[in-house]
C-alpha cells in the first residue's frame, strides 16, 4: 500500500455514525472546534508524556501549540498541532474504524431507540465522537500527520461519503494538520472563517487548554517613529498606524485548579469539565480543593451527571490527570484514585512531585498515596453530604460502581456500606439505606434479610420470602451481579448480620417436630426419586403458601451467583441444594397418602420431579426438561377436570 494512494471504505457503522452526527448536530455546529482542539491538546500531552519515558525520542519542535488557520477565500479552516502525530498504520487504526468501544455502544443504543430525533448532543457527547464532528461543518476533510520520531507522513482524506483515501506523504514537523473544506453556509450560519466567531468559540469552549491556541490576526499598530517619514517640520507624512498580521493567543490557558475558587465562575468550571472529560453534559458535582500542610497540592474533581457506557469495561481509562506545577504529566492516572471511583474526572497538581517518576514508582510514592487517601476521603464526605434526592440520582448512575468498592476497598468498607441503597419488599420504588432498614426493624427481628437475583418482580414474589413477609420482616432485593460480591464482603452492618433469605435455616418458627417425624418417610422417599438432584429434602422454614422451594447452604452459592458464573462461561457443576417442602400444604398430605397406599405407583416419581421443577420455576430458574414438565402438568389438568 505504501507510497500509493489507496481508497478504502469506512466501516459501515462509521458511515452510520457520521450521518447521525451530521443530522443531529446541525444546531450545535461549533462544537467541532472544541473536539478537534481537544484531540490536538491530547496529542501534545501524549508526546510530552512519551518524551519523559522514551529518552531516544527527541521531538524536532517543542514549542507546543495549536494553530488555527481560517481562509476566507478558499473557505477552508485548518487546525494543526505539533503533538505526537500518527503513523500510517495508526491513521488506519484510529480514523475510519471503530477504535473505541464507545462508538459501538453508541450505535447499539441507537439501534435500540430507532429514533434519530432522540439523539441529542448530550447523548452523542457521552460517547465522544471527536474527530468525526469535523464533518458537521466540512464536506471534505484532509488530515496530514507525522508521528514524532518518524520521517514519513500520511495523508487521509474523505468527503464523508463512505470512502476515504490514504497515502504516504511528507511533512515538515511531527504533529497533525486537519483541513476542513467548509460546507456552503446558509443564511443564519456562523462563519467559521471570521476572526471574532473563532475567538468566541475558543474562549467559550477551549479557554483552559494548556497549550496556546494561536491564530494569525490582523492588528493595527503604530508605526515606530524611526520608520516614519517626516516632513521638514518633523511631522509624519501620511499614516501613523499600519496593519500587521501577527500571531495572537486566543485562550487564557488558565489553570483553574490552581486558581482561587472565588475567581472561577460556574461556567468556567463546567467548560473545564467538558474539556477534560470529553463529556458534553454538565457535571453533577465538583470538588475544588487546595491541600495545605507539609506538602501542598491542588485537586479539582468532578462527578459526571451520566455514567459512561463503558463504565465497567476492563480496559477503561480513568478520568484523573496528574499535573506538576501546571504542566501535564499524565492522564489515566490510576494511582490517584481507586478503580471503582474511576468515573470521577479531575486534575491533581502536585508541585512537589518527583518529575522523573514512572508509573511503577508512582504507586509506591508516599505523596501520591497520601493524595489518593485524601481524595477518597473528600469524595466520600461529598457523597455522604448529598441530599436524598441528589444522592438517589447519583446512585442510579454510579451505584454499581460504589458497590464494586465493597469487595476491593477494605479500608473504606464501612463508608461504602453507608452509601448502599436497595429497594425492599416494603419500599416500592424507593431506595432504602441499611440504616433506614434497621430503623424500620421490629424488636423481634434480629437480622438483615436480603435476596439476590436478576429479576426484581421474581424476587419480590419469591416463595423464599413467604414466611418473612408473614412476620412482616422487610427484605432487601438485590438485583445486580455486583451485589453477590457485596454480600460476601459485608457480613454485618451496625452489629446486625446480613442473612440470605434463600440460604441456610431461617429459624423463624419452631418446626413442629411431631409433624416432621410423620413426614420423614415421605421426604426420604422423594429424595430417593430425585436422583441426586438435591442435597436433601426437608420441611421448610420459609414457605407459607407455596409448596416447594430450594434453599442453599449458609455459605453455599446462591442461585443467582450460579447463574452469573455460568453466564460468564465458567464450567462448573450446579451446587446441590435442599428441596424445602411446605408441610402445611394440602398436596403433601395427599402425596403422603398416595405413597403409603402404593410405593410402586409410577406417578410418585413424576410428582417428586414436579415438586422440584416447581421450586425451580418459582425462583425464576429454568427446568431441565420443559417438555416433560409441560406434559406432566397437562396430565394433571386432564385428571383434575375428570372425564366430562
Ligand atoms: P477520541 O479522541 O475520543 O479517542 P476521536 O475519534 O476524536 O476519538 O479520535 C480517535 C483517535 O485518533 C484518537 O484517540 C487519537 O489516537 C487519534 N487522533 C485524533 N486526533 C489526533 C491528533 N490531532 N493527533 C494525533 N492523534 C489523533
Amino acid at each position: 500500500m505504501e507510497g500509493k494512494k489507496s481508497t478504502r471504505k469506512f466501516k459501515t457503522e462509521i458511515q452510520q455514525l457520521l450521518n447521525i452526527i451530521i443530522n443531529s448536530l446541525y444546531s450545535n455546529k461549533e462544537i467541532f472546534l472544541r473536539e478537534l482542539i481537544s484531540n490536538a491538546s491530547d496529542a501534545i500531552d501524549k508526546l510530552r508524556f512519551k518524551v519523559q519515558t522514551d529518552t531516544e525520542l527527541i521531538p524536532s519542535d517543542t514549542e507546543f501549540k495549536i494553530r488555527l488557520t481560517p481562509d476566507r477565500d478558499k473557505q477552508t479552516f485548518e487546525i494543526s498541532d505539533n503533538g505526537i502525530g500518527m503513523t500510517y498504520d495508526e491513521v488506519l487504526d484510529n480514523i475510519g474504524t471503530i477504535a473505541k468501544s464507545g462508538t459501538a455502544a453508541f450505535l447499539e443504543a441507537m439501534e435500540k431507540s430507532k429514533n434519530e430525533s432522540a439523539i441529542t448532543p448530550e447523548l452523542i457527547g457521552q460517547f465522544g465522537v471527536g474527530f468525526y464532528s469535523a464533518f458537521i461543518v466540512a464536506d471534505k476533510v484532509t488530515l496530514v500527520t507525522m508521528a514524532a520520531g518518524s520521517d514519513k507522513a500520511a495523508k487521509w482524506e474523505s468527503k464523508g461519503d463512505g470512502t476515504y483515501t490514504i497515502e504516504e506523504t511528507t511533512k515538515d514537523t511531527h504533529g497533525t494538520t486537519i483541513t476542513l473544506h467548509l460546507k456552503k453556509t446558509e443564511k443564519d450560519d456562523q462563519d467559521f472563517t471570521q476572526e471574532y466567531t473563532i475567538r468566541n468559540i475558543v474562549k467559550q469552549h477551549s479557554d483552559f487548554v494548556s497549550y496556546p491556541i494561536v491564530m494569525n490576526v490582523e492588528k493595527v499598530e503604530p508605526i515606530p517613529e524611526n520608520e516614519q517619514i517626516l516632513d521638514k517640520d518633523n511631522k509624519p507624512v501620511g499614516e501613523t498606524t499600519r496593519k500587521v498580521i501577527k500571531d495572537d493567543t486566543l485562550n487564557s490557558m488558565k489553570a483553574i485548579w490552581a486558581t482561587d475558587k472565588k475567581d472561577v465562575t460556574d461556567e468556567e468550571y463546567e467548560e473545564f469539565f467538558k474539556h477534560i472529560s470529553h463529556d458534553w453534559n454538565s457535571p453533577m458535582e465538583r470538588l475544588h480543593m487546595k491541600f495545605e500542610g507539609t506538602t501542598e497540592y491542588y485537586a479539582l474533581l468532578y462527578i459526571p451527571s451520566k455514567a459512561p457506557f463503558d463504565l465497567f469495561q476492563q480496559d477503561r481509562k480513568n478520568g484523573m490527570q496528574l499535573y506538576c506545577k501546571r504542566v501535564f504529566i499524565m492522564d489515566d492516572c490510576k494511582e490517584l484514585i481507586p478503580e471503582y471511583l474511576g468515573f470521577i474526572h479531575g486534575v491533581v497538581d502536585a508541585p512537589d512531585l518527583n518529575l522523573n517518576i514512572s508509573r511503577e514508582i508512582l504507586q509506591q510514592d508516599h505523596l501520591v498515596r497520601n493524595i489518593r487517601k485524601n481524595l477518597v476521603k473528600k469524595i466520600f464526605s461529598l457523597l455522604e453530604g448529598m441530599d436524598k434526592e441528589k444522592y438517589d440520582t447519583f446512585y442510579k448512575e454510579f451505584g454499581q460502581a460504589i458497590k464494586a468498592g465493597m469487595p476491593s476497598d477494605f479500608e473504606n468498607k464501612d463508608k461504602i456500606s453507608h452509601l448502599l441503597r436497595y429497594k425492599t419488599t416494603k419500599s416500592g420504588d424507593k431506595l432504602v439505606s441499611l440504616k433506614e432498614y434497621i430503623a424500620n426493624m421490629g424488636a423481634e427481628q434480629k437480622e438483615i434479610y436480603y435476596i439476590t437475583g436478576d429479576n426484581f418482580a421474581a424476587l419480590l414474589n419469591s416463595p423464599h420470602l413467604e414466611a418473612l413477609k408473614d412476620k412482616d420482616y422487610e427484605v432487601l432485593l438485590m438485583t445486580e451481579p455486583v451485589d453477590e460480591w457485596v454480600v460476601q464482603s459485608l457480613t454485618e452492618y451496625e452489629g446486625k448480620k446480613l442473612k440470605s433469605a434463600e440460604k441456610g435455616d431461617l429459624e423463624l418458627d419452631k418446626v413442629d417436630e411431631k409433624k416432621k417425624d410423620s413426614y420423614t418417610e415421605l421426604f426420604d422417599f422423594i429424595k430417593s426419586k430425585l436422583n441426586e438432584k438435591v442435597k436433601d429434602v426437608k420441611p421448610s422454614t420459609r414457605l407459607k403458601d407455596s409448596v416447594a422451594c430450594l434453599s442453599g447452604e449458609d455459605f453455599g452459592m446462591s442461585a443467582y451467583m450460579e447463574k452469573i458464573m455460568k453466564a460468564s462461561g465458567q464450567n462448573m457443576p450446579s451446587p446441590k441444594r435442599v428441596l424445602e417442602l411446605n408441610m402445611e400444604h394440602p398436596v403433601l398430605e395427599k402425596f403422603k397418602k398416595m405413597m403409603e397406599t402404593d410405593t410402586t405407583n409410577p406417578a410418585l416419581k413424576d410428582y417428586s420431579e414436579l415438586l422440584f421443577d416447581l421450586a425451580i420455576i418459582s425462583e425464576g430458574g429454568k427446568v431441565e426438561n420443559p417438555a416433560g414438565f409441560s406434559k406432566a402438568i397437562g396430565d394433571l389438568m386432564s385428571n383434575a377436570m375428570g372425564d366430562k
Side-chain angles (χ1 to χ4, degrees):
M1 268 325 129
E2 286 188 15
K4 274 202 303 212
K5 180 163 170 171
S6 81
T7 302
R8 295 165 183 240
K9 270 202 173 109
F10 278 139
K11 290 259 159 69
T12 28
E13 298 91 327
I14 291 295
Q15 190 57 45
Q16 226 177 322
L17 186 68
L18 272 183
N19 296 342
I20 292 166
I21 295 169
I22 295 166
N23 291 331
S24 56
L25 292 179
Y26 54 87
S27 54
N28 287 277
K29 291 194 172 96
E30 64 186 52
I31 58 93
F32 85 91
L33 191 51
R34 173 176 77 195
E35 296 297 303
L36 297 183
I37 288 177
S38 261
N39 280 354
S41 158
D42 289 351
I44 301 175
D45 282 347
K46 279 183 199 156
L47 177 55
R48 300 188 48 151
F49 182 63
K50 203 165 174 206
V51 169
Q52 286 171 43
T53 49
D54 177 356
T55 45
E56 277 170 27
L57 180 65
I58 300 161
S60 54
D61 181 5
T62 51
E63 235 181 82
F64 294 115
K65 58 164 92 76
I66 299 162
R67 178 175 293 283
L68 308 181
T69 317
D71 188 323
R72 246 201 145 136
D73 299 332
K74 288 199 207 136
Q75 279 297 300
T76 57
F77 186 97
E78 204 177 275
I79 160 164
S80 68
D81 65 71
N82 49 0
I84 197 158
M86 285 178 270
T87 63
Y88 185 98
D89 289 339
E90 281 167 346
V91 175
L92 288 180
D93 280 349
N94 294 336
I95 314 279
T97 48
I98 297 193
K100 301 167 297 178
S101 48
T103 319
F106 174 72
L107 290 163
E108 220 170 86
M110 271 295 311
E111 189 59 32
K112 274 195 198 128
S113 84
K114 295 265 178 219
N115 177 8
E116 286 200 10
S117 64
I119 303 165
T120 58
E122 286 68 31
L123 181 61
I124 294 180
Q126 265 176 277
F127 301 90
V129 284
F131 173 75
Y132 303 109
S133 63
F135 287 97
I136 308 171
V137 294
D139 47 24
K140 188 166 94 178
V141 176
T142 311
L143 175 146
V144 176
T145 184
M146 186 164 83
S150 162
D151 53 4
K152 288 182 190 159
K155 177 175 167 183
W156 179 100
E157 194 163 74
S158 173
K159 291 184 174 157
D161 57 356
T163 62
Y164 62 90
T165 59
I166 180 157
E167 65 193 296
E168 237 178 43
T169 180
T170 52
K171 190 174 177 299
D172 290 341
T173 54
H174 53 85
T176 304
T177 299
I178 296 170
T179 309
L180 310 178
H181 303 265
L182 297 170
K183 288 180 187 168
K184 276 211 176 60
T185 48
E186 282 159 25
K187 216 172 107 237
D188 297 325
D189 278 349
Q190 283 166 293
D191 177 355
F192 296 113
T193 59
Q194 216 159 33
E195 184 189 321
Y196 77 81
T197 309
I198 299 167
R199 269 185 193 281
N200 283 340
I201 302 174
V202 171
K203 196 81 204 149
Q204 194 190 341
H205 297 301
S206 310
D207 196 44
F208 323 97
V209 171
S210 39
Y211 307 104
I213 302 169
V214 299
M215 182 166 74
N216 259 196
V217 295
E218 207 178 77
K219 285 196 166 166
V220 177
E221 61 173 29
I223 301 171
E225 271 177 27
N226 60 1
E227 287 178 31
Q228 287 182 4
I229 303 163
L230 308 174
D231 64 13
K232 60 181 184 341
D233 300 323
N234 267 352
K235 293 248 170 64
V237 178
E239 302 288 331
T240 54
T241 57
R242 63 183 174 194
K243 281 184 182 164
V244 287
I245 304 285
K246 267 197 163 171
D247 259 0
D248 200 7
T249 300
L250 310 184
N251 56 331
S252 73
M253 291 180 273
K254 183 169 164 185
I256 67 167
W257 62 86
T259 307
D260 203 287
K261 269 187 209 172
K262 67 175 184 347
D263 297 324
V264 186
T265 65
D266 284 345
E267 289 75 26
E268 285 177 315
Y269 275 124
E270 278 201 12
E271 282 304 331
F272 183 68
F273 165 73
K274 291 177 183 174
H275 169 60
I276 57 169
S277 66
H278 292 225
D279 187 336
W280 299 356
N281 300 301
S282 305
M284 183 186 294
E285 273 289 354
R286 66 167 185 257
L287 267 174
H288 188 181
M289 301 159 285
K290 182 179 179 186
F291 291 88
E292 282 162 309
T294 42
T295 167
E296 274 188 14
Y297 55 92
Y298 298 96
L300 174 55
L301 307 181
Y302 295 91
I303 299 178
S305 51
K306 288 252 171 279
F309 282 76
D310 58 350
L311 186 56
F312 295 103
Q313 217 111 42
Q314 285 278 308
D315 53 355
R316 183 172 189 275
K317 279 186 164 191
N318 87 1
M320 293 305 296
Q321 299 187 344
L322 181 62
Y323 279 70
C324 180
K325 298 193 191 82
R326 304 186 181 202
V327 174
F328 173 87
I329 309 292
M330 67 173 81
D331 63 0
D332 186 25
C333 190
K334 298 206 174 358
E335 294 72 17
L336 283 176
I337 210 154
E339 195 182 342
Y340 69 99
L341 295 176
F343 59 87
I344 287 180
H345 284 276
V347 167
V348 168
D349 191 333
D352 296 334
L353 204 65
N354 173 5
L355 261 190
N356 293 323
I357 214 155
S358 71
R359 281 192 190 260
E360 293 72 46
I361 304 173
L362 210 54
Q363 238 168 16
Q364 314 298 330
D365 189 272
H366 188 69
L367 173 59
V368 174
R369 284 179 163 194
N370 197 297
I371 295 176
R372 175 182 164 123
K373 217 173 164 162
N374 276 332
L375 295 186
V376 172
K377 208 159 114 189
K378 292 284 177 188
I379 293 164
F380 276 118
S381 28
L382 172 77
L383 295 175
E384 282 159 15
M386 277 184 181
D387 65 44
K388 190 169 165 39
E389 198 180 331
K390 185 153 210 175
Y391 186 71
D392 280 355
T393 317
F394 164 82
Y395 196 75
K396 241 168 98 193
E397 293 295 324
F398 300 106
Q400 278 199 64
I402 293 295
K403 287 174 181 177
M406 201 69 217
S408 62
D409 187 354
F410 195 71
E411 217 173 303
N412 291 300
K413 215 172 113 171
D414 263 4
K415 287 193 168 147
I416 299 174
S417 69
H418 299 313
L419 292 173
L420 298 174
R421 300 287 183 274
Y422 289 102
K423 287 186 190 166
T424 76
T425 41
K426 292 185 179 182
S427 76
D429 273 342
K430 282 211 205 76
L431 290 165
V432 169
S433 69
L434 297 179
K435 212 180 203 72
E436 288 166 316
Y437 178 97
I438 290 182
N440 291 339
M441 269 164 70
E444 59 172 315
Q445 187 184 338
K446 298 283 174 284
E447 295 175 322
I448 298 173
Y449 293 99
Y450 69 86
I451 186 161
T452 58
D454 58 0
N455 184 324
F456 183 78
L459 285 188
L460 194 59
N461 298 308
S462 164
H464 294 105
L465 310 186
E466 287 172 3
L468 289 165
K469 282 184 183 164
D470 193 57
K471 286 216 165 300
D472 200 30
Y473 289 178
E474 191 169 15
V475 182
L476 303 171
L477 305 171
M478 303 187 166
T479 50
E480 281 168 349
V482 64
D483 288 323
E484 286 287 353
W485 281 268
V486 169
V487 291
Q488 271 179 30
S489 24
L490 183 73
T491 47
E492 227 179 87
Y493 182 83
E494 299 196 340
K496 307 261 184 288
K497 285 211 166 60
L498 267 83
K499 173 103 186 91
S500 165
E502 56 169 326
K503 288 199 275 181
D505 189 346
L506 285 190
E507 291 166 7
L508 294 175
D509 292 307
K510 285 233 162 3
V511 179
D512 179 342
E513 290 296 331
K514 236 169 133 186
K515 196 159 190 174
K516 186 179 161 191
D517 286 346
S518 73
Y519 274 101
T520 308
E521 204 182 332
L522 173 69
F523 286 7
D524 287 347
F525 178 83
I526 294 175
K527 189 182 170 195
S528 72
K529 295 291 167 211
L530 283 177
N531 287 337
E532 306 290 305
K533 276 188 197 165
V534 296
K535 196 177 167 66
D536 205 352
V537 180
K538 276 189 184 167
S540 179
T541 56
R542 56 200 102 217
L543 297 174
K544 280 284 163 199
D545 306 318
S546 305
V547 61
C549 73
L550 286 161
S551 66
E553 286 178 279
D554 258 326
F555 299 102
M557 194 182 275
S558 72
Y560 187 37
M561 187 65 157
E562 188 188 333
K563 199 168 166 181
I564 296 167
M565 302 293 265
K566 286 195 168 150
S568 73
Q570 307 254 3
N571 200 0
M572 46 161 221
S574 298
K576 273 195 230 163
R577 290 187 290 157
V578 174
L579 178 66
E580 292 195 7
L581 297 174
N582 182 357
M583 293 191 299
E584 306 304 323
H585 201 285
V587 158
L588 280 204
E589 210 186 312
K590 290 181 182 159
F591 202 154
K592 190 164 160 247
K593 280 209 181 100
M594 205 172 159
M595 181 197 75
E596 282 160 0
T597 321
D598 175 12
T599 47
T600 60
N601 184 345
L604 291 170
K605 182 173 191 311
D606 294 347
Y607 291 165
S608 300
E609 274 170 5
L610 212 45
L611 284 176
F612 179 77
D613 286 350
L614 285 175
I616 297 263
I617 285 177
S618 65
E619 64 182 26
K622 280 193 183 137
V623 296
E624 234 170 54
N625 178 5
F629 176 80
S630 156
K631 183 175 173 304
I633 295 284
D635 290 349
L636 275 179
M637 283 172 75
S638 154
N639 285 342
M641 289 170 188
D643 295 332
K644 270 174 258 163

